[in-house]
């Protein structure tokens, strides 16, 4: 009985993550994908066909015959969606790069700090999560607007004569994304640096490396896994970000999150918006899967 119970527990540990992915990722994805193959209708829900399970297998097959790729073809014909995808990827890439430039020194300083104060520094990094995300974004409006705190401070110390126009520009979006997602960059990098054997850097310096050379040839390569994890944790949500571009960006700001929101709520075009969401998911997931396969292959060859 003990062996049976142990085998059941070991299998349950494996089954639970797959069940989680099935119910909260795969099933919702297939629902969205099915809607993307449907047609817009003035009804509730606002698309056809809607399967009636009472019709049995024949009713389901009849409904599947109404599926089409018209929505995906429509996306290729309208330049708005292409520009929204490209703009979202560019803004997310720049924001991720800026977050890395700011987050890596913070994580490195935390890893080099005395162990007694590391928990305090870690708490300070995650402290913003204790406040509502929406409130924090609204706070940046008060800081960045022409009569806001930032412009008042710069005018007071004599740096500028006229208020800077930052709000409702892409710069405001970069500031909002970097501030909001900075902990997601710092924590994985800190985790990688904190586990690193510091004697490796000392050995490199003993062999003639300068501190900068030792950092680039020893420290940074060993922290690369944390860098990649942090970049993915920032880049993926930044691509589909809606709140920050809507509140801090201007009317000309074009990101796929805002486009998706307009299609769902303003236009009530669920099939087209589902097609937009499906393509966005594929754009994000496929490179990640490819990277994981390449990484797994490299690890196996290294062994």
């Amino acid at each position: 009985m003990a062996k049976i119970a142990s085998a059941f527990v070991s299998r349950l540990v494996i089954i639970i993550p797959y069940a989680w992915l099935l119910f909260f990722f795969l099933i919702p994805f297939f629902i969205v994908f099915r809607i993307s193959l449907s047609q817009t209708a003035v009804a509730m829900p606002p698309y056809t066909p809607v399967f009636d399970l009472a019709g049995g297998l024949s009713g389901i097959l009849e409904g599947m015959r109404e599926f089409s790729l018209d929505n995906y073809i429509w996306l290729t014909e309208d330049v708005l969606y292409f520009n929204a995808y490209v703009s979202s990827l560019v803004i997310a890439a720049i924001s991720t790069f800026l977050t890395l430039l700011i987050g890596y020194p913070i994580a490195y300083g935390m890893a080099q700090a005395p162990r007694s104060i590391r928990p305090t520094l870690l708490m300070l990094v995650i402290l913003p999560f204790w406040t509502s995300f929406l409130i924090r974004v609204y706070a940046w409006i008060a800081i960045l607007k022409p009569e806001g705190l930032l412009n008042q401070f710069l005018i007071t110390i004599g740096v500028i004569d006229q208020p800077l126009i930052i709000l409702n520009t892409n710069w405001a979006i970069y500031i909002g994304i970097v501030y909001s997602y900075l902990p997601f960059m710092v924590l994985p990098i800190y985790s990688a640096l904190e586990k690193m054997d510091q004697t490796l850097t000392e050995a490199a310096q003993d062999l003639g490396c300068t501190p900068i050379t030792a950092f680039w040839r020893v420290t940074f390569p060993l922290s690369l896994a944390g860098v990649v994890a942090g970049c993915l944790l920032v880049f993926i949500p930044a691509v589909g970000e809606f709140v920050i571009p809507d509140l801090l960006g201007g009317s000309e700001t074009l990101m796929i999150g805002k486009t998706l929101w307009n299609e769902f709520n303003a236009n009530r075009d669920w099939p087209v918006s589902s097609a937009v969401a499906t393509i966005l998911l594929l754009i994000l997931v496929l490179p990640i899967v490819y990277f994981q396969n390449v990484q797994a292959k490299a690890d196996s060859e290294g062994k």
Side-chain angles (χ1 to χ4, degrees):
M1 288 295 295
K3 292 182 178 180
I4 295 176
S6 177
F8 174 76
V9 171
S10 62
R11 291 183 180 181
L12 186 63
V13 171
I14 299 175
I15 291 173
I16 289 177
Y18 284 101
W20 180 275
L21 290 175
L22 175 65
F23 286 104
F24 295 102
F25 178 77
L26 289 179
I27 292 178
F29 170 75
F30 281 115
I31 292 175
V32 172
F33 180 67
R34 183 184 73 82
I35 297 175
S36 71
L37 299 176
S38 305
Q39 300 297 323
T40 306
V42 182
M44 184 57 67
Y47 57 86
T48 57
V50 178
F51 294 126
D52 184 8
L53 298 180
L57 182 60
S58 59
I60 295 176
L61 294 176
E62 183 64 27
M64 292 179 65
R65 295 191 183 97
E66 300 181 31
F67 286 161
S68 69
L69 297 175
D70 292 345
N71 297 312
Y72 292 95
I73 296 174
W74 164 258
L75 295 183
T76 62
E77 296 174 349
D78 194 335
V79 71
L80 170 68
Y81 301 101
F82 177 79
N83 291 338
Y85 283 119
V86 173
S87 177
S88 298
L89 292 173
V90 171
I91 290 176
I94 295 175
S95 300
T96 302
F97 178 72
L98 294 175
T99 307
L100 177 61
L101 287 182
I102 299 173
Y104 197 102
I106 295 175
Y108 184 80
M110 292 171 58
Q112 296 298 318
R115 290 189 177 273
S116 59
I117 66 172
R118 289 182 190 178
T120 302
L121 297 176
L122 190 62
M123 185 193 69
L124 293 176
V125 170
I126 64 177
L127 190 62
F129 287 142
W130 296 5
T131 307
S132 169
F133 173 76
L134 193 60
I135 293 176
R136 286 184 280 133
V137 176
Y138 269 114
W140 276 106
I141 297 178
I143 295 173
L144 298 177
K145 63 184 180 180
E147 64 277 12
L149 297 176
L150 177 61
N151 280 309
Q152 290 181 7
F153 174 74
L154 294 178
I155 291 175
T156 300
I157 64 177
V159 175
I160 58 175
D161 297 326
Q162 298 294 328
L164 299 175
I165 305 301
I166 302 177
L167 190 63
N168 300 328
T169 65
N170 282 351
W171 284 109
I173 297 176
Y174 296 143
I175 292 173
I177 293 177
V178 170
Y179 167 76
S180 300
Y181 293 108
L182 184 61
F184 294 107
M185 180 68 73
V186 172
L187 295 178
I189 297 177
Y190 167 73
S191 178
L193 291 173
E194 196 269 339
K195 297 175 183 177
M196 191 184 73
D197 188 356
Q198 298 298 328
T199 58
L200 296 176
T201 305
E202 297 174 1
Q205 294 181 14
D206 290 340
L207 293 174
C209 288
T210 63
I212 296 178
T213 304
F215 171 80
W216 285 112
R217 302 189 66 174
V218 178
T219 304
F220 186 78
L222 291 176
S223 66
L224 198 57
V227 171
V228 172
C231 289
L232 291 178
L233 289 174
V234 173
F235 180 80
I236 292 175
V239 171
E241 181 60 55
F242 163 73
V243 175
I244 295 175
D246 188 57
L247 296 180
L248 301 182
S251 58
E252 297 182 356
T253 301
L254 187 62
M255 290 192 70
I256 200 63
K258 293 181 64 176
T259 304
L260 196 59
W261 171 268
N262 291 331
E263 290 293 345
F264 260 115
N265 294 276
N267 299 336
R268 297 285 294 173
D269 195 340
W270 286 25
V272 169
S273 55
S274 297
V276 172
T278 301
I279 294 177
L280 176 62
L281 184 63
L282 294 177
I283 290 175
L284 296 176
V285 169
L286 292 180
I288 295 174
V289 173
Y290 174 76
F291 171 78
Q292 288 180 337
N293 291 335
V294 171
Q295 188 69 26
K297 184 177 179 180
D299 293 341
S300 62
E301 291 178 353
K303 294 179 181 180

